[in-house]
Amino acid sequence: MTDRYAVIGNPVGHSKSPWIHAEFARATRQDMEYVRIEAPLDGFERTVEDFRNAGGRGANVTLPFKEAACRHSTELSAAARLAQAVNTLVLEPSGIRGDNTDGSGLLRDLSVNLDFPIRGRTILVLGAGGATRGILGPLAGAGAAGIVVANRTVAKARDLVHRIGFPTLEACGFEALAGRTFDLLINATSTGLTGEAIGIPPAIFRKGALAYELVYGRETEFLALARAAGAVTSDGIGMLVEQAADSFRLWRGLRPDTGGVIAALRRA
Ligand code: NAP
């Protein structure tokens, strides 16, 4: 029987995950299907249970349900526990395992695809929402020399840094970034999607630094400022595919090649 997987979100119509997982399944000859499920905003748990009862083996979880998925899991990986957010569910008759592959996906895109190992680097992460919660622990654990988390609402950055608890982490507001530069700058605010201005000092970008925008497939203010300063830029398409490959491995026990899928999405 064909194994069933899904991405659960609201909205979910834009998700590229069904296409990505269909490519992985084809390349690795796995008998599986992967669909989009839009859960009602007040009905995430019910949607997961209906899918599990109908034979669903696993699911990706996207906005706005990553925290709900964490609460609904009966067992959490270390990454999910640190993030307090889950993007991958392994559905078993005995329970639900929750994991978070956003951080491992980003690390792999940086270190393998972009040849930018994290150890010893200074990093700025803009934003303190769900995406930052997923990536902060893995970035800190990969040996960054220092990570500054800057957020519009400073208290959220402080709380997050305190909870993750690595000595290399620091929190601040955007105005405190004046006069500082970094090896790697990551935009994990939602401004890339909304088109709003972030309000960061343009001088934080320097020639040769890597500016990584989590949003993919669009020109954002963050990328434009970085490029104008001579920084190297990347969008988040590699992270999207690498986190999907990590989810696929959790479900199927093997990790698909990602290069061809990333290249195809860039061409699309
Ligand atoms: P979220 O939880 O809603 O957090 C949004 C963050 O953006 C908050 O820190 C918020 O600051 C900040 N923000 C919003 N508007 C702002 C503005 N006008 N100026 C400055 N800061 C602003 O969203 P999320 O889940 O973290 O997602 C963030 C982005 O990452 C999204 O664009 C998402 O698509 C992307 N993402 C990509 C991948 C991938 O695989 N490539 C994976 C996950 C997420 P306050 O706290 O002050 O409100």
Side-chain angles (χ1 to χ4, degrees):
M1 212 175 88
T2 302
D3 291 335
R4 301 183 65 210
Y5 297 87
V7 53
I8 303 175
N10 185 336
V12 80
H14 63 283
S15 174
K16 295 188 190 304
S17 294
W19 185 83
I20 294 170
H21 283 283
E23 286 298 302
F24 288 165
R26 195 179 48 75
T28 57
R29 298 165 182 266
Q30 299 292 297
D31 184 13
M32 58 184 275
E33 65 164 31
Y34 185 111
V35 297
R36 292 184 180 85
I37 299 179
E38 182 166 301
L41 291 175
D42 62 350
F44 172 75
E45 292 79 5
R46 196 174 63 245
T47 303
V48 171
E49 289 313 318
D50 287 350
F51 184 59
R52 184 154 75 123
N53 291 334
R57 300 279 305 272
N60 283 128
V61 179
T62 187
L63 282 174
F65 298 126
K66 290 185 182 180
E67 289 79 22
C70 186
R71 290 191 296 273
H72 195 56
S73 300
T74 53
E75 194 187 322
L76 290 174
S77 69
R81 201 172 313 114
L82 205 55
Q84 286 297 298
V86 157
N87 80 336
T88 308
L89 296 172
V90 181
L91 304 175
E92 288 163 344
S94 56
I96 299 179
R97 281 194 285 133
D99 209 325
N100 192 314
T101 63
D102 281 337
S104 59
L106 173 65
L107 278 186
R108 183 150 178 129
D109 192 35
L110 287 168
S111 59
V112 178
N113 302 333
L114 300 172
D115 195 19
F116 191 94
I118 292 302
R119 182 160 296 283
R121 308 284 189 154
T122 56
I123 303 176
L124 170 66
V125 180
L126 299 169
T132 301
R133 284 165 48 169
I135 66 178
L136 205 51
L139 283 174
I147 305 179
V148 175
V149 181
N151 197 41
R152 182 177 60 179
T153 312
V154 185
K156 262 172 75 178
R158 286 210 188 98
D159 287 352
L160 184 57
V161 160
H162 180 72
R163 193 168 58 70
I164 302 279
F166 275 77
T168 44
L169 293 175
E170 161 190 350
C172 68
F174 296 145
E175 67 296 334
L177 296 173
R180 301 187 69 166
T181 57
F182 302 88
D183 299 325
L184 168 65
L185 304 94
I186 299 173
N187 185 19
T189 72
S190 48
T191 57
L193 281 182
T194 61
E196 293 169 331
I198 318 179
I200 44 171
I204 56 171
F205 296 102
R206 64 169 171 75
K207 198 168 167 25
L210 174 61
Y212 193 102
E213 168 69 80
L214 253 53
V215 168
Y216 39 84
R218 54 174 88 194
E219 176 65 2
T220 67
E221 178 207 25
F222 174 83
L223 289 175
L225 287 173
R227 215 171 286 123
V232 179
T233 59
S234 174
D235 73 1
I237 204 85
M239 171 179 170
L240 176 75
V241 175
E242 298 296 351
Q243 62 81 25
D246 283 342
S247 298
F248 192 93
R249 179 171 51 190
L250 289 170
W251 296 327
R252 310 301 299 183
L254 77 177
R255 195 176 199 280
D257 287 339
T258 52
V261 175
I262 293 173
L265 283 173
R266 284 208 194 288
R267 282 195 304 272

